[in-house]
Amino acid sequence: MFDTRPDRDAEVVLVGRSNVGKSTLMREITGHSVSTGSKPGVTKKPNHFDWVSESFVVTDLPGFGFMSGVPEERREQIKTDVVRYVEANAEQILVGVLVVDGKSVVDIIDRHSGPDEIPHDVEMFHFLRELEIPTVVAVNKMDKVDDRDERLDALCDRLGLLPPWQQWQEVIAPISAKREQTEAFDEAVRHHLHEAKRDDLFKFF
């Protein structure tokens, strides 16, 4: 199911929990509709959108974490598949995008933090960085957040980044994908593409 990747040299991957807006952000990037739904877990296998001429692919990976009506065994398998996919393609991934829900991410992280538990979002953030994949955290649904700076500072704190969040603008990108407010994300991704000497891909962001 995860071996559908087109043979391309450069890739941007979207990872994150179910229902945080990955597919909506994918639609913003590509201009093409991908299946989105109000129920978590709509994306069951990777969605690839590629451009042969640029040898470039954007991949929306299935969401991990809680999904109503999906057995835990299946949820664990999806997470394992996502991790394996990222590991297998790390050399080609120019940017790893962790999409989170700005309104609930800090509460979810706190709820799942304990001596024997690392929250999925924190784990995935550090996993991408350990693989030396430039990482952008797209903090989505910010149009629903009132205490914006406090919320983003708290997220930085949970991810092990020293607040204030403003000093991490190539990492932390507050957006509202549904409202097409993705400028901070575009800037952050372009920063990493420039570092990779791929300014030719700016037109997609």
Side-chain angles (χ1 to χ4, degrees):
M1 198 186 279
F2 271 57
D3 54 7
T4 52
R5 184 188 187 275
D7 184 19
R8 303 288 174 259
D9 299 333
E11 182 170 14
V12 169
V13 294
L14 308 182
V15 299
R17 287 180 176 277
S18 301
N19 222 26
V20 292
K22 290 186 304 300
S23 300
T24 307
L25 182 55
M26 174 87 161
R27 192 169 57 212
E28 271 299 293
I29 298 167
T30 63
H32 287 260
S33 193
V34 287
S35 294
T36 61
S38 53
K39 270 203 168 128
V42 171
T43 308
K44 295 283 196 297
K45 58 184 196 299
N47 273 324
H48 302 287
F49 200 89
D50 72 312
W51 292 267
V52 182
S53 55
E54 273 85 9
S55 194
F56 173 58
V57 59
V58 178
T59 302
D60 170 23
L61 290 171
F64 50 76
F66 176 75
M67 287 169 257
S68 81
V70 179
E72 186 171 350
E73 193 179 310
R74 176 81 190 108
R75 295 202 302 257
E76 282 303 311
Q77 186 58 52
I78 288 171
K79 191 173 157 221
T80 302
D81 288 343
V82 166
V83 163
R84 284 190 184 141
Y85 179 94
V86 173
E87 276 179 332
N89 299 295
E91 291 291 311
Q92 284 79 38
I93 298 174
L94 299 181
V95 187
V97 181
L98 173 62
V99 187
V100 300
D101 181 333
K103 197 169 167 62
S104 62
V105 64
V106 173
D107 301 331
I108 290 171
I109 287 173
D110 288 351
R111 199 178 314 142
H112 292 281
S113 294
D116 306 317
E117 192 177 13
I118 301 171
H120 288 328
D121 301 285
V122 175
E123 189 179 19
M124 191 58 70
F125 177 72
H126 291 295
F127 170 66
L128 289 166
R129 286 166 67 106
E130 273 160 28
L131 290 175
E132 297 184 356
I133 295 171
T135 306
V136 172
V137 182
V139 192
N140 196 20
K141 308 186 185 182
M142 287 303 286
D143 51 305
K144 298 177 179 173
V145 173
D146 300 327
D147 50 348
R148 181 186 169 92
D149 289 341
E150 282 170 47
R151 192 62 57 143
L152 293 169
D153 284 349
L155 176 59
C156 281
D157 181 59
R158 305 311 189 269
L159 294 175
L161 304 172
L162 198 66
W165 73 270
Q166 287 92 340
Q167 64 184 339
W168 299 102
Q169 291 195 19
E170 73 283 5
V171 181
I172 302 290
I175 62 167
S176 173
K178 201 176 249 185
R179 297 193 170 202
E180 302 181 5
Q181 295 164 352
T182 58
E183 299 82 0
F185 168 76
D186 295 339
E187 285 295 315
V189 171
R190 284 180 174 199
H191 168 85
H192 297 300
L193 292 178
H194 180 67
E195 296 282 299
K197 300 185 169 49
R198 289 303 303 262
D199 291 17
D200 57 305
L201 299 176
F202 278 18
K203 61 188 170 201
F204 300 116
F205 298 95

